[in-house]
Amino acid sequence: AQKVTQAQTEISVVEKEDVTLDCVYETRDTTYYLFWYKQPPSGELVFLIRRNSFDEQNEISGRYSWNFQKSTSSFNFTITASQVVDSAVYFCALSGVGAGSYQLTFGKGTKLSVIP
Amino acid sequence: GAGVSQTPSNKVTEKGKYVELRCDPISGHTALYWYRQSLGQGPEFLIYFQGTGAADDSGLPNDRFFAVRPEGSVSTLKIQRTERGDSAVYLCASSLKIKETQYFGPGTRLLVL
């Protein structure tokens, strides 16, 4: 069975602060994908990133960066110099690559509030 | 290009009624997925299609739920004898192929009174 844990239910930061959202996962698969999605107040899930389990390189995209550590089964997401527009619920998710495991297993999400 | 669209955006119905929720995937996407999101929770998988066939329906909660995709494009999620516990946001996603990134629609908010 697959499981994703996002221990932080809610986080509040002041604009321009850096913030890290934690994600820990469990899977018996040796190959899998990890994802982050953003859900703004409008409700639509917006894809942010997908990582293959074989690729442990950290990734940076503008103010966003992701730290994948297989040894600790973690895939953390950092926003640098946060902005009010970053306020949303962020979901970490996991999927397999074999038949019957293509669906996404989501964590419960972390609600980020960026205060001006 | 156009993203995943879902209709209606909101649906209010009475307990015991039948409802249909529609999903129009991104053009050319062969895989289609349905999820359900309850308040304060992450989306939970219901069913996915590869082409016209349901490849995995293990997430459907019971036999009141059924989904079809007759021509391999638009999909309809059907709920019979609705119950108050069915109230949730129903999300549809599509991907170019199985194992590719899933892109989500805006969801249908279902309220069963």
Side-chain angles (χ1 to χ4, degrees):
Chain A
Q2 298 181 330
K3 184 178 178 182
V4 175
T5 301
Q6 295 180 255
Q8 303 149 309
T9 306
E10 293 193 42
I11 301 177
S12 287
V13 298
V14 176
E15 202 171 18
K16 296 184 184 176
E17 286 184 347
D18 299 348
V19 58
T20 295
L21 310 182
D22 297 333
C23 173
V24 174
Y25 62 92
E26 296 175 30
T27 180
R28 292 179 183 169
D29 294 340
T30 54
T31 304
Y32 48 89
Y33 291 105
L34 293 163
F35 301 80
W36 277 93
Y37 284 85
K38 174 182 180 180
Q39 190 171 45
S42 61
E44 190 159 344
L45 277 165
V46 177
F47 166 74
L48 295 178
I49 189 171
R50 180 174 92 152
R51 297 305 297 234
N52 185 303
S53 55
F54 287 126
D55 183 1
E56 287 193 69
Q57 262 195 324
N58 291 333
E59 181 151 342
I60 298 175
S61 176
R63 296 184 297 108
Y64 295 170
S65 62
W66 291 269
N67 184 318
F68 176 28
Q69 296 212 343
K70 214 167 178 178
S71 59
T72 56
S73 298
S74 65
F75 186 44
N76 296 337
F77 173 29
T78 298
I79 302 174
T80 303
S82 60
Q83 299 176 1
V84 173
V85 293
D86 296 327
S87 297
V89 180
Y90 291 85
F91 290 97
C92 181
L94 168 70
S95 74
V97 299
S101 65
Y102 302 131
Q103 66 270 27
L104 293 166
T105 298
F106 285 86
K108 292 189 175 182
T110 297
K111 181 177 181 181
L112 174 65
S113 298
V114 181
I115 304 163
Chain B
V4 178
S5 62
Q6 293 186 246
T7 55
S9 52
N10 291 281
K11 176 72 177 177
V12 181
T13 191
E14 292 179 346
K15 180 175 178 295
K17 298 289 189 183
Y18 167 83
V19 296
E20 289 190 352
L21 312 179
R22 175 189 165 109
C23 172
D24 206 333
I26 293 172
S27 178
H29 280 198
T30 62
L32 184 147
Y33 311 76
W34 284 98
Y35 293 83
R36 180 167 73 172
Q37 186 176 21
S38 301
L39 197 61
Q41 303 294 315
E44 293 179 325
F45 167 74
L46 295 175
I47 183 171
Y48 80 81
F49 291 85
Q50 171 74 334
T52 59
D56 184 346
D57 64 357
S58 62
L60 295 177
N62 52 61
D63 60 7
R64 295 186 298 104
F65 289 74
F66 189 70
V68 295
R69 194 186 185 200
E71 296 178 359
S73 179
V74 171
S75 176
T76 305
L77 179 67
K78 308 180 182 196
I79 311 174
Q80 299 178 323
R81 304 183 304 281
T82 51
E83 299 178 357
R84 292 195 181 89
D86 299 334
S87 297
V89 176
Y90 289 81
L91 296 166
C92 177
S94 70
S95 62
L96 187 61
K97 295 183 293 186
I98 286 290
K99 295 196 261 188
E100 298 292 327
T101 296
Q102 296 176 34
Y103 296 92
F104 283 80
T108 293
R109 190 175 301 274
L110 175 67
L111 178 61
V112 182
L113 299 176

